[in-house]
Amino acid sequence: MDREFLRRLLVEEAFAYGFTIAFWGSGVLLVDAFGVFGIRGVLAYAVGAVTGFGLLLVGTFDGVLAAVDVDGDPSYHVLAGIHYVAALVPIVTAHFLVRADIGQTPTVFLVGVSVPVWYNLFVTAEEVLTTWLRRIERTTERRR
Protein backbone atom coordinates (compact mmCIF):
# COMPACT_ATOMS: atom_id res chain seq x y z
CA MET A 1 0.00 0.00 0.00
CA ASP A 2 1.25 3.48 -0.89
CA ARG A 3 1.12 5.25 2.47
CA GLU A 4 1.61 8.75 1.00
CA PHE A 5 -1.25 8.21 -1.44
CA LEU A 6 -3.51 7.13 1.41
CA ARG A 7 -2.51 10.17 3.49
CA ARG A 8 -3.35 12.58 0.64
CA LEU A 9 -6.59 10.74 -0.05
CA LEU A 10 -7.68 10.95 3.59
CA VAL A 11 -6.93 14.67 3.83
CA GLU A 12 -8.71 15.43 0.54
CA GLU A 13 -11.76 13.40 1.52
CA ALA A 14 -11.98 14.68 5.09
CA PHE A 15 -13.73 17.93 4.15
CA ALA A 16 -16.21 16.30 1.80
CA TYR A 17 -17.06 13.52 4.22
CA GLY A 18 -17.36 15.93 7.13
CA PHE A 19 -19.75 18.02 5.05
CA THR A 20 -21.75 14.92 4.09
CA ILE A 21 -21.91 13.66 7.67
CA ALA A 22 -23.11 17.08 8.87
CA PHE A 23 -25.91 17.19 6.28
CA TRP A 24 -26.94 13.55 6.62
CA GLY A 25 -26.78 13.76 10.41
CA SER A 26 -28.93 16.87 10.58
CA GLY A 27 -31.30 15.37 8.00
CA VAL A 28 -31.73 12.22 10.09
CA LEU A 29 -32.59 14.36 13.12
CA LEU A 30 -35.20 16.21 11.05
CA VAL A 31 -36.69 12.92 9.89
CA ASP A 32 -36.74 11.70 13.48
CA ALA A 33 -38.54 14.87 14.59
CA PHE A 34 -40.97 15.33 11.69
CA GLY A 35 -41.16 12.00 9.87
CA VAL A 36 -40.09 11.16 6.35
CA PHE A 37 -40.42 14.17 4.05
CA GLY A 38 -42.18 14.37 0.75
CA ILE A 39 -40.87 16.43 -2.13
CA ARG A 40 -41.74 19.77 -0.42
CA GLY A 41 -39.72 18.96 2.68
CA VAL A 42 -36.79 17.62 0.68
CA LEU A 43 -36.76 20.69 -1.56
CA ALA A 44 -37.08 23.02 1.46
CA TYR A 45 -34.02 21.39 3.02
CA ALA A 46 -32.06 21.36 -0.26
CA VAL A 47 -32.95 24.95 -1.19
CA GLY A 48 -32.00 25.98 2.36
CA ALA A 49 -28.64 24.23 1.99
CA VAL A 50 -27.98 25.80 -1.43
CA THR A 51 -29.00 29.22 -0.04
CA GLY A 52 -26.68 28.86 2.95
CA PHE A 53 -23.80 27.83 0.71
CA GLY A 54 -24.58 30.71 -1.64
CA LEU A 55 -24.63 33.22 1.23
CA LEU A 56 -21.21 32.03 2.36
CA LEU A 57 -19.76 32.27 -1.15
CA VAL A 58 -21.24 35.68 -1.93
CA GLY A 59 -20.22 37.01 1.49
CA THR A 60 -16.68 35.68 1.15
CA PHE A 61 -15.82 36.77 -2.39
CA ASP A 62 -16.09 40.02 -4.31
CA GLY A 63 -19.38 39.20 -5.99
CA VAL A 64 -21.03 36.21 -7.58
CA LEU A 65 -19.02 36.42 -10.81
CA ALA A 66 -15.58 36.55 -9.19
CA ALA A 67 -13.04 34.00 -10.41
CA VAL A 68 -11.10 31.99 -7.85
CA ASP A 69 -7.96 29.85 -8.23
CA VAL A 70 -7.87 26.80 -5.98
CA ASP A 71 -4.43 25.29 -5.35
CA GLY A 72 -3.17 26.54 -8.71
CA ASP A 73 -5.98 24.79 -10.58
CA PRO A 74 -7.79 26.64 -13.34
CA SER A 75 -10.13 29.23 -11.90
CA TYR A 76 -13.78 28.64 -11.33
CA HIS A 77 -16.47 31.18 -10.65
CA VAL A 78 -18.28 31.79 -7.40
CA LEU A 79 -21.76 31.68 -8.95
CA ALA A 80 -20.99 28.28 -10.46
CA GLY A 81 -19.83 27.07 -7.05
CA ILE A 82 -23.26 27.60 -5.55
CA HIS A 83 -24.73 24.72 -7.60
CA TYR A 84 -28.17 26.24 -7.52
CA VAL A 85 -29.46 23.95 -10.27
CA ALA A 86 -27.08 21.00 -10.12
CA ALA A 87 -27.99 20.23 -6.51
CA LEU A 88 -31.74 20.43 -7.08
CA VAL A 89 -32.30 18.75 -10.47
CA PRO A 90 -31.25 15.27 -9.22
CA ILE A 91 -33.68 15.58 -6.30
CA VAL A 92 -36.56 16.54 -8.58
CA THR A 93 -35.61 13.74 -10.98
CA ALA A 94 -35.61 11.24 -8.09
CA HIS A 95 -39.04 12.51 -7.06
CA PHE A 96 -40.47 11.92 -10.54
CA LEU A 97 -38.86 8.51 -10.84
CA VAL A 98 -40.32 7.45 -7.48
CA ARG A 99 -43.75 8.73 -8.55
CA ALA A 100 -43.51 6.83 -11.86
CA ASP A 101 -44.10 3.62 -9.87
CA ILE A 102 -41.89 1.39 -12.03
CA GLY A 103 -40.79 -0.81 -9.15
CA GLN A 104 -38.13 -0.54 -6.48
CA THR A 105 -35.12 -1.99 -8.31
CA PRO A 106 -35.55 -0.01 -11.55
CA THR A 107 -36.28 3.17 -9.57
CA VAL A 108 -33.21 2.78 -7.35
CA PHE A 109 -31.07 1.99 -10.39
CA LEU A 110 -32.35 4.95 -12.43
CA VAL A 111 -31.98 7.37 -9.51
CA GLY A 112 -28.44 6.05 -9.02
CA VAL A 113 -27.69 6.73 -12.68
CA SER A 114 -29.43 10.10 -12.83
CA VAL A 115 -27.81 11.74 -9.79
CA PRO A 116 -24.19 11.79 -11.05
CA VAL A 117 -25.22 12.40 -14.66
CA TRP A 118 -27.55 15.35 -13.92
CA TYR A 119 -25.31 16.77 -11.21
CA ASN A 120 -22.20 16.81 -13.40
CA LEU A 121 -24.01 18.06 -16.50
CA PHE A 122 -25.59 20.92 -14.57
CA VAL A 123 -22.33 21.79 -12.76
CA THR A 124 -20.77 22.10 -16.20
CA ALA A 125 -23.69 24.20 -17.46
CA GLU A 126 -23.42 26.47 -14.40
CA GLU A 127 -19.72 27.01 -15.07
CA VAL A 128 -20.38 27.80 -18.74
CA LEU A 129 -23.15 30.25 -17.83
CA THR A 130 -21.03 31.96 -15.20
CA THR A 131 -18.05 32.25 -17.54
CA TRP A 132 -20.34 33.81 -20.15
CA LEU A 133 -21.77 36.27 -17.58
CA ARG A 134 -18.23 37.12 -16.43
CA ARG A 135 -17.24 37.95 -20.03
CA ILE A 136 -20.27 40.21 -20.37
CA GLU A 137 -19.39 41.91 -17.08
CA ARG A 138 -15.78 42.50 -18.20
CA THR A 139 -16.91 43.84 -21.58
CA THR A 140 -19.32 46.21 -19.86
CA GLU A 141 -16.58 47.38 -17.43
CA ARG A 142 -14.17 48.10 -20.31
CA ARG A 143 -16.76 50.18 -22.12
CA ARG A 144 -17.22 52.48 -19.14
Side-chain angles (χ1 to χ4, degrees):
M1 173 188 289
D2 184 346
R3 189 177 176 117
E4 188 57 34
F5 173 78
L6 182 58
R7 286 179 179 169
R8 281 194 314 271
L9 184 64
L10 290 171
V11 169
E12 291 171 3
E13 290 178 346
F15 292 109
Y17 282 118
F19 186 78
T20 301
I21 291 166
F23 272 93
W24 274 99
S26 62
V28 168
L29 287 173
L30 289 171
V31 169
D32 183 53
F34 301 109
V36 176
F37 298 129
I39 188 66
R40 285 188 200 136
V42 171
L43 284 175
Y45 185 67
V47 168
V50 169
T51 301
F53 195 62
L55 290 171
L56 286 169
L57 283 168
V58 171
T60 303
F61 297 99
D62 296 329
V64 296
L65 298 177
V68 181
D69 288 326
V70 179
D71 297 330
D73 289 339
S75 66
Y76 71 94
H77 297 87
V78 173
L79 182 61
I82 296 171
H83 303 313
Y84 46 94
V85 177
L88 302 176
V89 169
I91 293 169
V92 173
T93 301
H95 168 72
F96 284 117
L97 286 168
V98 167
R99 302 239 349 185
D101 198 25
I102 58 175
Q104 181 177 343
T105 301
T107 301
V108 170
F109 174 76
L110 290 173
V111 169
V113 169
S114 70
V115 169
V117 169
W118 282 136
Y119 182 80
N120 284 290
L121 287 176
F122 279 98
V123 164
T124 303
E126 289 167 353
E127 179 65 21
V128 168
L129 174 65
T130 307
T131 302
W132 179 72
L133 290 172
R134 181 71 173 147
R135 282 191 204 125
I136 290 171
E137 181 184 59
R138 286 182 180 157
T139 302
T140 305
E141 288 172 354
R142 279 184 256 162
R143 290 182 183 163
R144 290 183 193 166

